[in-house]
Amino acid sequence: MERAVIPRRVLLLTAAIAVIGANSLALSPIAATVATSFPGRSAADVVTAAALYGLATACSALLLASLSDRIGAERALVRALLGLSASLGVAALSPALWTLVAAQALAGLAAGVALPAIYTLTAQVAEKGRESQTLSFVLTGWTLSLVVGVGLAALLADLLHWRAVFSLLALAAVGLALGVSRCHDWGVRTVGEAPSSTLKALRIPGIHSVLLNVAAYMTAFYGLYTYLGPYLGEVLQLPASFAGLAIAVYGLGFGAAAPLGRLVDRYGATAAACVTFAGLMLVYLGLMAAAALPPVLLGLCLAWGVANHLGLNLLMRQLAEIDPAQRGAIMGLYSAITYLCVFAGALLYRPIFTHFGFAACAWASAMLVLPALGWALGQWRRKQAALE
């Protein structure tokens, strides 16, 4: 019976990631359609809502994520999902663009609470010895949002109306809130002194090095990902469908890596980290070398998705194990850094892309993974020394 309950909890968490991710990714491809509902507005004006969503998510993760430690991650997730549903409902009914922008900002505040709560619950419900496998499964929610959510949003916008996209996501968020509230066995929460602020988690010994690795890792990804589309379209003069295919292939690789989480549990996180970060560096260097070869780029995008999934899994697992009593606050810091790196990556990589090209961006990403590889090798050496 217990084995039947665990998959249901994990599925709820995966679905919650998918809904949150779908909202964050869906606005860009339907921006032009949304703009037609607001006279005098352009697609660029609509994308402002997506930018504010990301900024609000980062701020919320910094200021509100510690709620998971104070009231319990499951209660925080239910409240966040209800807030997300209300925000998306307002977005669906927006009479003016400023209403849509405000609604997306409120949705970002809810997402900043929900994401750390989801990662906290994932650590709580994971069976001993299956932590990475469980986290890998939950992370496939991002693949669902990228591959299924974006495509479904575009289809609904074409067949019905863009308002149907946000209406459906609002209903899904309510259904998930109900499902989470009715599932009472969310594992044992580590009891301790919960931080009054997410920022206080920065005092935890050993957290700074991991967060710096996360910041470099995320900047490497978002910086290169941001300019992949412009490179394929403007420099290589490939159709937009090819750029969409490259992103879909990346998403499929990210999702296909989920079963590999069991290998991390089997062989240990330290050994897996050395192999994963070294492999990711090779992928980035491969993207640099094959920048002018579109078919090879597609294959490397698949490998990119696989390596990125495993690297993300390892960094999040390391954070989750630092201090279980403050796991919500720690995951809040992780979420805040992630969304800040969306802006940082685009900003820092722009002059590199403009003056030196996509290949230079790929090289920069490889160098940004170097600290994580050095950290993993250091962990491995210490482990080997302890065994001797």
Side-chain angles (χ1 to χ4, degrees):
M1 180 64 68
E2 180 65 20
R3 290 185 178 274
V5 173
I6 293 176
R8 178 170 175 262
R9 292 179 292 179
V10 173
L11 283 172
L12 283 170
L13 297 175
T14 306
I17 287 279
V19 169
I20 293 169
N23 178 61
S24 66
L25 296 168
L27 195 57
S28 179
I30 65 173
T33 303
V34 174
T36 60
S37 297
F38 307 116
R41 299 293 188 174
S42 66
D45 295 326
V46 173
V47 173
T48 303
L52 283 182
Y53 170 88
L55 189 59
T57 302
C59 292
S60 175
L62 279 178
L63 301 175
L64 302 176
S66 58
L67 280 172
S68 294
D69 300 315
R70 296 203 296 271
I71 67 174
E74 65 278 7
R75 293 176 65 190
L77 179 56
V78 169
R79 295 180 185 184
L81 287 171
L82 291 175
L84 179 66
S85 177
S87 302
L88 293 175
V90 173
L93 299 173
S94 297
L97 182 58
W98 71 266
T99 317
L100 177 62
V101 171
Q104 283 295 319
L106 291 174
L109 293 178
V113 175
L115 290 171
I118 290 169
Y119 299 141
T120 298
L121 289 172
T122 301
Q124 285 182 199
V125 303
E127 291 184 15
K128 187 68 175 176
R130 294 187 178 180
E131 294 87 353
S132 289
Q133 185 178 352
T134 305
L135 179 58
S136 285
F137 191 91
V138 172
L139 288 176
T140 57
W142 291 111
T143 300
L144 291 173
S145 64
L146 186 66
V147 178
V148 179
V150 174
L152 183 60
L155 185 63
L156 283 174
D158 285 340
L159 296 180
L160 297 175
H161 198 277
W162 64 264
R163 298 182 189 275
V165 176
F166 296 113
S167 299
L168 181 62
L169 289 174
L171 290 173
V174 167
L176 286 169
L178 185 62
V180 172
S181 64
R182 288 186 173 181
C183 188
H184 300 294
D185 188 10
W186 284 104
V188 179
R189 180 163 69 99
T190 302
V191 179
E193 185 180 351
S196 57
S197 169
T198 304
L199 291 173
K200 288 189 176 180
L202 288 171
R203 301 174 183 173
I204 299 172
I207 196 172
H208 295 112
S209 60
V210 186
L211 289 177
L212 286 173
N213 286 333
V214 169
Y217 187 93
M218 289 301 186
T219 302
F221 168 71
Y222 284 111
L224 193 63
Y225 181 84
T226 298
Y227 293 99
L228 175 62
Y231 172 71
L232 294 174
E234 296 176 3
V235 179
L236 296 185
Q237 295 294 305
L238 294 169
S241 58
F242 189 90
L245 179 61
I247 293 171
V249 167
Y250 168 85
L252 289 174
F254 193 92
L260 299 179
R262 70 185 65 178
L263 297 179
V264 178
D265 295 323
R266 182 182 302 171
Y267 296 106
T270 304
C274 294
V275 174
T276 298
F277 294 130
L280 183 57
M281 280 193 68
L282 289 176
V283 170
Y284 281 133
L285 293 174
L287 288 168
M288 178 189 72
L293 303 172
V296 180
L297 282 178
L298 276 183
L300 287 169
C301 281
L302 184 69
W304 188 14
V306 172
N308 221 36
H309 181 121
L310 291 174
L312 192 60
N313 182 311
L314 290 161
L315 288 172
M316 291 178 65
R317 177 172 174 172
Q318 180 74 10
L319 284 172
E321 293 175 351
I322 287 179
D323 188 346
Q326 300 186 63
R327 193 174 278 150
I330 292 170
M331 288 304 172
L333 290 172
Y334 163 81
S335 297
I337 288 173
T338 296
Y339 277 89
L340 288 174
C341 285
V342 175
F343 294 95
L347 182 67
L348 295 174
Y349 274 59
R350 182 171 182 174
I352 300 175
F353 179 74
T354 302
H355 298 292
F356 303 103
F358 181 80
C361 291
W363 180 85
S365 291
M367 294 304 101
L368 284 172
V369 178
L370 198 55
L373 177 59
W375 165 75
L377 289 171
Q379 295 279 81
W380 182 78
R381 289 195 190 99
R382 282 191 287 272
K383 185 175 181 181
Q384 293 300 113
L387 292 175
E388 293 174 0

